[in-house]
Amino acid sequence: MNAGSRAADAHRERPGLDELGHFLMSSGALSSDWAPVYAAVPRSAVLPDLMWPFDMAIGRSVAVCRADEPARWREFADSDVPIVTQWDDGKHTGTAPGRVPTSSASMPSVVFRMLQALDLQPGHRVLEIGTATTWNALLMAHRAGPGRVTTMEVDRAVATAAMATVERLGTPLQVVHGDGFRGHPEGAPYDRVIATCGLRSLPFAWVQQCRPGGIVVAPWGTHYSHDDAVARLTVAPDGRSASGRFTGPVEFMKLRAQRAPAVVHTDHVPGSVADGDETSTAITEAEFVGGRFTPQRFALGLRVPDCLQAEAEKRDGGRPVWLYGTTDRSWACVWFREGATTRVWQWGPRRLWDEAEAAYRWWEGKSRPGHERFGLTVTAEGQSAWLDDPADSWRV
């Protein structure tokens, strides 16, 4: 059998799937048991007429209006791209992109990989934090069954629109306007809890509201960078903790109660870098910074608490990378420049570069582990991270 025949057979085995669906299945994001749900609940059914999909060709979000460009609107709706549906907590007006995206429809590949991690089965009761367009909730409702899904949305306008969408489609699921950080005890216990927003601290309320043996899936990370990873936690038999590994890197809009603290450069560095203590390092920019979703930044965030990294634009043949303390005014600046010694300046009660360099050397010494070797444990007392062994953990 040639490749063309095999491809034709594969299409015949996946009835009802469009081009995106076939792509998601071939990439492993969409499993065969979720394929009928994907075909029954199209993302285009819940997207607004005006949206801002991320155009991969130009690397930024663009405005697309269904009334003006119906074919282009449909093309983006049926593509594996994230789509912003709200800017600036709803204060934004007009068609041009706003400052900060605050609600969206995630990439379908991310959606279905997280749903696979959730291991949702018919009859399960589910709590979702972050309703947005309702697509994720509708997919889960189709899988779990009528009245089994509760979804929470903190933004009143988004929640109101979601309620209208659910009523229009006639899907029996509950949309609750409220702060998902506290969960929704009225519907507990749940078999599954899933968040579609990035977390910096996973609320223990979610663990308490999930039955022993239940699963919590949520994007989690630190303030060190925007790069998160999906945590898949299983609630302990006694219900007093939840623990599990990360499944892979993602980036999500942050839970509104846990957005990164504002850092004003001049508050930390009122003068110049010359005010700090100068040293140097042998670590290169490629080693330390890496690319998008490379594991070293995630690892550094786990090992250097209460710190934010910011990369400046390249200038004069080099790039400054800044580290700011989020609980004090400590700072560090690393000046990476090709063909020259990498200079470092740091100031404050914490030696942030010393901490970051030690964290990098630790990660390197552990054979440069990827996201999947790290894990998270959540208890009433807080949360801790670990590498390979939950017994060998540290507070984060």
Side-chain angles (χ1 to χ4, degrees):
M1 181 184 295
N2 61 33
S5 298
R6 286 195 297 269
D9 287 345
H11 277 249
R12 284 194 291 271
E13 291 167 4
R14 304 167 185 173
L17 290 187
D18 56 11
E19 184 177 351
L20 174 60
H22 289 297
F23 165 77
L24 295 174
M25 288 205 74
S26 64
S27 69
L30 180 62
S31 56
S32 58
D33 57 327
W34 276 98
V37 179
Y38 169 86
V41 187
R43 183 167 73 154
S44 58
V46 299
L47 293 174
D49 290 342
L50 175 62
M51 62 187 190
W52 293 267
F54 189 83
D55 189 329
M56 297 291 186
I58 61 176
R60 59 182 173 85
S61 297
V62 294
V64 180
C65 179
R66 175 156 45 184
D68 297 335
E69 303 176 282
R72 189 166 182 243
W73 186 97
R74 171 65 68 172
E75 181 182 359
F76 277 116
D78 295 337
S79 297
D80 190 31
V81 297
I83 297 174
V84 176
T85 54
Q86 185 199 66
W87 296 90
D88 304 325
D89 294 333
K91 300 179 178 67
H92 166 264
T93 58
T95 59
R99 289 182 58 253
V100 180
T102 49
S103 191
S104 70
S106 300
M107 294 176 69
S109 56
V110 172
V111 168
F112 282 101
R113 289 188 189 280
M114 289 180 64
L115 290 176
Q116 284 194 58
L118 193 64
D119 190 24
L120 178 63
Q121 300 300 323
H124 276 166
R125 294 180 56 80
V126 189
L127 174 64
E128 178 191 46
I129 311 300
T131 307
T133 65
T134 72
W135 191 45
N136 204 65
L138 290 166
L139 291 167
M140 293 191 296
H142 194 279
R143 169 94 164 189
R148 311 302 290 179
V149 176
T150 299
T151 179
M152 297 193 69
E153 174 57 53
V154 69
D155 187 288
R156 182 177 295 278
V158 175
T160 300
M163 292 174 189
T165 296
V166 168
E167 183 176 358
R168 170 172 59 85
L169 297 177
T171 304
L173 68 86
Q174 182 181 20
V175 179
V176 177
H177 170 237
D179 185 356
F181 184 83
R182 301 178 181 86
H184 188 63
E186 294 83 354
Y190 303 98
D191 300 286
R192 301 289 188 265
V193 176
I194 185 169
T196 59
C197 50
L199 301 173
R200 295 299 172 257
S201 176
L202 196 145
F204 188 64
W206 299 359
V207 179
Q208 292 176 307
Q209 293 170 30
C210 193
R211 66 166 174 82
I215 295 173
V216 179
V217 170
W220 186 95
T222 66
H223 289 309
Y224 187 85
S225 75
H226 292 296
D227 295 1
D228 298 339
V230 175
R232 185 185 191 273
L233 312 182
T234 301
V235 179
D238 62 6
R240 298 175 63 181
S241 66
S243 187
R245 294 181 183 272
F246 295 98
T247 65
V250 291
E251 182 180 349
F252 271 76
M253 297 171 190
K254 306 307 177 265
L255 185 79
R256 294 194 182 186
Q258 295 184 3
R259 290 172 175 169
V263 172
V264 179
H265 177 81
T266 52
D267 288 345
H268 284 72
V269 192
S272 71
V273 293
D275 297 329
D277 299 324
E278 183 176 351
T279 56
S280 63
T281 181
I283 298 176
T284 67
E285 179 183 355
E287 290 173 325
F288 185 71
V289 177
R292 289 297 310 277
F293 303 124
T294 49
Q296 61 262 54
R297 278 194 290 194
F298 185 75
L300 289 171
L302 294 177
R303 302 293 292 185
V304 186
D306 303 319
C307 178
L308 184 150
Q309 176 192 294
E311 301 164 30
E313 294 294 327
K314 282 196 173 184
R315 57 185 175 87
D316 300 329
R319 182 195 301 278
V321 175
W322 291 88
L323 302 174
Y324 302 101
T326 60
T327 57
D328 60 30
R329 299 301 189 194
S330 299
W331 59 265
C333 178
V334 192
W335 183 259
F336 293 109
R337 190 169 183 173
E338 292 185 17
T341 300
T342 298
R343 303 170 70 186
V344 177
W345 298 266
Q346 53 188 333
W347 180 91
R350 292 178 65 186
R351 314 308 279 175
L352 289 178
W353 173 252
D354 294 346
E355 292 183 35
E357 183 168 29
Y360 176 82
R361 297 301 184 195
W362 173 87
W363 176 75
E364 192 176 45
K366 297 293 184 180
S367 301
R368 302 185 177 188
H371 300 82
E372 296 80 2
R373 283 180 58 189
F374 289 99
L376 185 72
T377 298
V378 179
T379 68
E381 288 71 41
Q383 55 187 14
S384 55
W386 40 272
L387 176 67
D388 298 328
D389 184 2
D392 186 17
S393 64
W394 62 91
R395 288 287 181 184
V396 288

